[in-house]
Amino acid sequence: MADGDKYLARDDKTMTSAGRYVVNVEAAIYRDGEYLLAERAVEEDHAAGTLALVGGKVERTDHDTSALESTVHREVREEVGLAVTDLRYVQSNAFVTDGGDPCLNVVFLARHEDGEAHVAAPDEVADLHWLTPTAVEGHPDVPEWTAAFVALSDERRRTLGW
């Protein structure tokens, strides 16, 4: 048995949640010098009430050659009613949620393509804010990781000439 196959032979009781990540994607949506941040609903399990990029969990699929990108498009549409384009990878990180789940997070830069941003999923999003990178950096409701994601996204945007 190959080293990687030993995990396939284990049953669910042997494979702990520490061995698997929840995969999450986020979009730094850019429009006219600003980025869209969502105020997370108080009902959210992780980082409730803070400002965050729009995104969510990758759902299981039997076959999708662009699963991360498809998830970005779906989550942005479901949560804030927008269409985005020109997805560009920015960075990834791993963390543990407030509920103790290990999470792999992937951040994409995206351009606003169509639609007016609105709270389309009030159970997940309480409010929306278009903010400049400077306003994000100094905002009291923006966690340091979100400020870093916006700064990295803006750096990437500038290198792309947007």
Side-chain angles (χ1 to χ4, degrees), residues 22 24 34 48 58 62-63 71 74 79 109 116 119 138 140 148 154:
V22 171
N24 188 68
E34 298 178 319
V58 175
D62 288 335
H63 180 75
T71 300
R74 176 181 50 79
E79 291 185 6
L109 171 63
E116 285 299 317
V119 175
D154 201 52

Side-chain angles (χ1 to χ4, degrees), residues 51-86:
L51 297 185
L53 299 176
V54 178
K57 296 177 188 137
V58 175
E59 295 176 355
R60 183 187 164 161
T61 180
D62 288 335
H63 180 75
D64 186 346
T65 59
S66 58
L68 299 177
E69 295 85 349
S70 297
T71 300
V72 169
H73 289 288
R74 176 181 50 79
E75 288 289 337
V76 168
R77 189 176 49 257
E78 288 176 358
E79 291 185 6
V80 300
L82 294 181
V84 294
T85 189
D86 297 328

